[in-house]
Structure formats: structure tokens, C-alpha cells
């Protein structure tokens, strides 16, 4: 069964600190993996996308890694800001355009 | 640039009442359109997708239906709402070339 599991479920950090969110997937065939940021009550917005051959991808203070062998991805946030408070969702695409497998997300709270 | 709209933003409906949620996309032609439901603590669940006017595919059997009367309009409906229909409903679109999905702002539906 295709699944995407994220950890931790929730995380609280202080402003300025770094954090790493984890994503493990059992999806086949694998097409690509995206990390989305979803602010409360809003739609998700894409942060990064990685294909099978890419190990790392950065978008400002966000850096995503992908290990296709172990089927793990991580999202590292550097020097967190209050505006980073949101849910971060890992999404794996398998096959056609409608085949997206969503993780349940990690809810991040950045406190001053 | 492309934009996606959803309305209403929030909705409170009694059990047994009908439902109509609307999604429109601007700035693109012949998009693929999607309806998702997001339950608390769970990943997004694809409900319906459409590759063209009048073409609807359902991913899960349920109390809801979808229609696409115009190229850039996607409607989610129900004849009689159930308590279990409560949730956050997201519309998304993707282009013919890129498989990235862009999400709308969402509709928070509460069925009492």
C-alpha cells in the first residue's frame, strides 16, 4: 500500500533555531517528492520538488534532502522565523497526474 | 499569472441540507482540476479530478458529487450533507505540461 509517513506530528521551536522534519514513504513507482507549506486555513504552497536523481534542493532557508534508497526525505529549516509556523506536508507522486500520496503533515510552531 | 478562487471561505450547514462549493481558475486554459478533503490530522484525500468539461473521475465512493460545467469551473455538490462531510475542502489545478498542482485557499465546511 502506498503510504507517506511524517514525523514528528508537531514541533515547537524558538525563533532563530533550526529544525528538521522527516518523511518516510513506501510508494511505487516513485516519480517525485514535494514539500508543501500550509498556513492555517489556507491551501498548501509548494516549497521544493525532487526527482529520483536529486539528493538535495534548497529554497531560501528551506533545504530538502532525498535518499531514494532508504525512501526517506527531510526538510531542514534554518534560522526559523515566526512566519515559519505552519504545517509542512510531504507529497509523493506516483505514476499519472492524479496520483499524489499525501503525508499527514508536521505542525510547526515557532515561538519568540 | 494564474489564480485559483474558492468560495465560500467558510460554511456552516445543517445535516441533510444541500451543498455547493465553487472553484474557478483564471489565467490558464484546459487545466486539470481536483477536489480534495483534508481532515484534521490526516493527509489530503483526493475526491474528484477532471481533465476537461463534463469529464469527472471519482476516487472514493461518498456522499458528494462534482461537475465541470465550464473549462475553468469546478463544483462540488451534495444533495444531503452528513456530519462526516465536515472538513476543509481544497480545489487544485495543474497544467497539461507540468504536473505541479496549485491549491486554492480552501473552504471550511462544518455540518451540524
Amino acid at each position: 500500500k502506498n503510504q507517506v509517513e511524517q514525523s514528528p506530528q508537531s514541533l515547537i521551536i524558538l525563533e532563530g533555531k533550526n529544525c528538521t522534519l522527516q518523511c518516510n514513504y513506501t510508494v511505487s513507482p516513485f516519480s517525485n517528492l514535494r514539500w508543501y507549506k500550509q498556513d492555517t486555513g489556507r491551501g498548501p504552497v509548494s516549497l521544493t520538488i525532487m526527482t529520483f536523481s536529486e539528493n538535495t534542493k534548497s529554497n531560501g532557508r528551506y533545504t530538502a534532502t532525498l535518499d531514494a534508497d532508504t525512501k526517506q526525505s527531510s526538510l531542514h529549516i534554518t534560522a526559523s522565523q515566526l512566519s515559519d509556523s505552519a504545517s509542512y506536508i510531504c507529497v509523493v507522486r506516483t505514476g499519472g497526474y492524479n496520483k499524489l500520496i499525501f503525508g499527514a503533515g508536521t505542525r510547526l510552531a515557532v515561538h519568540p | 499569472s494564474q489564480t485559483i478562487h474558492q468560495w465560500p471561505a467558510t460554511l456552516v450547514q445543517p445535516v441533510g441540507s444541500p451543498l455547493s462549493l465553487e472553484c474557478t481558475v483564471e489565467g490558464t486554459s484546459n487545466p486539470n482540476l481536483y477536489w480534495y478533503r483534508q481532515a484534521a490530522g490526516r493527509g489530503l484525500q483526493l475526491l474528484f479530478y477532471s481533465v476537461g468539461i463534463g469529464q469527472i473521475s471519482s476516487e472514493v465512493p461518498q456522499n458528494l458529487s462534482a461537475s465541470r460545467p465550464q473549462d475553468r469551473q469546478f463544483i462540488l455538490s451534495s444533495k444531503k450533507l452528513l456530519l462526516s462531510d465536515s472538513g476543509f475542502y481544497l480545489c487544485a489545478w495543474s497544467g497539461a505540461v507540468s504536473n505541479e498542482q496549485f491549491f486554492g485557499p480552501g473552504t471550511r465546511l462544518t455540518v451540524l
Side-chain angles (χ1 to χ4, degrees):
Chain A
K1 180 182 178 182
N2 288 330
Q3 282 187 322
V4 175
E5 296 184 350
Q6 293 186 242
S7 62
Q9 276 190 322
S10 61
L11 182 62
I12 300 174
I13 62 173
L14 295 176
E15 186 178 13
K17 297 297 185 183
N18 305 334
C19 67
T20 300
L21 314 180
Q22 299 291 342
C23 173
N24 296 337
Y25 61 91
T26 53
V27 177
S28 182
F30 174 89
S31 182
N32 60 47
L33 184 148
R34 287 182 189 272
W35 283 92
Y36 282 88
K37 179 186 179 186
Q38 185 177 21
D39 293 317
T40 300
R42 306 292 298 275
V45 175
S46 179
L47 292 174
T48 64
I49 178 174
M50 287 181 292
T51 58
F52 185 86
S53 60
E54 296 176 294
N55 299 118
T56 210
K57 184 74 71 77
S58 291
N59 178 2
R61 294 179 297 103
Y62 301 102
T63 300
T65 64
L66 175 65
D67 185 335
D69 292 331
T70 62
K71 299 188 176 182
Q72 295 180 327
S73 177
S74 66
L75 180 69
H76 186 74
I77 304 175
T78 303
S80 61
Q81 300 175 359
L82 296 179
S83 60
D84 292 331
S85 296
S87 287
Y88 292 84
I89 303 172
C90 176
V91 184
V92 178
R93 178 171 177 261
T94 175
Y97 54 85
N98 61 313
K99 297 298 183 184
L100 298 182
I101 312 298
F102 289 80
T106 291
R107 184 175 295 277
L108 174 66
V110 181
H111 290 182
Chain B
S1 64
Q2 301 87 5
T3 56
I4 179 168
H5 304 278
Q6 286 187 245
W7 65 89
T10 60
L11 189 61
V12 180
Q13 291 283 93
V15 169
S17 64
L19 173 74
S20 180
L21 304 181
E22 190 165 345
C23 170
T24 58
V25 181
E26 297 178 355
T28 186
S29 297
N30 196 29
N32 296 322
L33 297 173
Y34 312 83
W35 276 113
Y36 289 91
R37 177 167 56 204
Q38 186 175 35
R42 303 190 59 181
L44 272 71
Q45 179 186 37
L46 179 64
L47 302 175
F48 301 95
Y49 68 93
S50 171
V51 299
I53 296 175
Q55 301 179 61
I56 309 295
S57 295
S58 174
E59 287 293 295
V60 292
Q62 59 209 314
N63 183 42
L64 302 168
S65 62
S67 62
R68 186 170 177 174
Q70 300 180 43
D71 181 46
R72 289 168 288 179
Q73 184 184 32
F74 206 22
I75 297 173
L76 183 68
S77 304
S78 174
K79 292 182 179 178
K80 288 185 178 182
L81 283 169
L82 305 172
L83 287 173
S84 57
D85 291 324
S86 293
F88 192 53
Y89 288 84
L90 287 159
C91 180
W93 74 272
S94 66
V97 176
S98 169
N99 57 60
E100 179 178 0
Q101 293 187 18
F102 299 91
F103 290 85
T107 295
R108 172 73 60 190
L109 171 66
T110 303
V111 182
L112 301 176

